[in-house]
Amino acid sequence: MTKPCFHCEKPPCVPVCPVGATFKRSQDGIVVVDYDRCIGCRYCIVACPYQARFSDFGDNYPAVEENTPWASVPSPEYNQFRVRKEGKSPEGNVRKCTFCLHLQDENGEYDKASGRWPACAKTCTGKAIHFGDLNDPDSEVSRLLKERQAIRLKEELGTEPNVYYLL
């Protein structure tokens, strides 16, 4: 079962961060991690009831080992385009799904027609992952939630997750 960050309305990971590195963006509700502020204490990992966070210990996958063409390609996370350097941020930080917010345009919008929307939905071969604006009653996700039965994981915790599973 895929479990991205649930970008909760009441994210329990935010208030436990002692330096304010984890916060919820007011413009779109996406929960983010400021890598330059994160001290790697991992309190947010413990607070997340969905186990949707992890610590970056600096491990690389074989495709990005040193001396390969991909080793020097910067990561587009948070539109920061960081090149991974040993001992430098985001190594040592907490990482999580960002709903590929680096693909938003200057107005904070995704454009599905031009391929600028979250990679999980774009690349899902079974077309099982849908992404859209829950506040837009005409969006595909709003329509699917009206037509199909859906659940949210661990609703009883009061986090109000923004990820739904269609049954």
Side-chain angles (χ1 to χ4, degrees), residues 8-141:
C8 304
E9 287 300 317
K10 298 174 184 170
C13 56
V14 170
V16 300
C17 182
V19 295
T22 292
F23 60 95
K24 184 174 174 168
R25 292 175 14 147
S26 59
Q27 66 266 40
D28 54 20
I30 293 176
V31 178
V32 298
V33 177
D34 181 336
Y35 292 150
D36 294 318
R37 294 186 78 179
C38 179
I39 58 173
C41 69
R42 303 184 205 134
Y43 290 170
C44 59
I45 292 175
V46 175
C48 177
Y50 304 102
Q51 299 173 332
R53 291 172 166 254
F54 60 94
S55 190
D56 185 338
F57 294 110
D59 298 329
N60 279 326
Y61 296 100
V64 290
E65 290 294 331
E66 291 182 36
N67 303 320
T68 64
W70 293 109
S72 61
V73 174
S75 169
E77 279 185 295
Y78 301 117
N79 275 333
Q80 294 171 344
F81 296 92
R82 294 175 187 260
V83 175
R84 287 182 65 85
K85 295 179 184 165
E86 189 173 335
K88 300 288 183 186
S89 181
E91 188 175 307
N93 296 145
V94 170
R95 311 271 305 265
K96 59 180 278 316
C97 159
T98 64
F99 280 167
C100 293
L101 63 81
H102 63 281
L103 296 176
Q104 291 179 340
D105 65 17
E106 61 278 352
N107 298 317
E109 301 290 328
Y110 295 97
D111 183 1
K112 187 174 182 177
S114 67
R116 297 181 60 86
W117 53 302
C120 60
K122 184 171 34 175
T123 62
C124 180
T125 57
K127 307 262 187 261
I129 299 174
H130 303 272
F131 185 85
D133 187 349
L134 291 171
N135 294 323
D136 176 0
D138 297 324
S139 71
E140 178 188 27
V141 293

Side-chain angles (χ1 to χ4, degrees), residues 113-167:
S114 67
R116 297 181 60 86
W117 53 302
C120 60
K122 184 171 34 175
T123 62
C124 180
T125 57
K127 307 262 187 261
I129 299 174
H130 303 272
F131 185 85
D133 187 349
L134 291 171
N135 294 323
D136 176 0
D138 297 324
S139 71
E140 178 188 27
V141 293
S142 293
R143 182 183 53 75
L144 286 168
L145 288 173
K146 287 178 199 163
E147 294 172 358
R148 308 255 311 265
Q149 185 179 0
I151 61 167
R152 297 190 300 178
L153 298 182
K154 301 184 180 184
E155 281 188 282
E156 68 277 7
L157 298 177
T159 61
E160 299 179 32
N162 283 305
V163 171
Y164 291 77
Y165 291 87
L166 298 172
L167 302 178

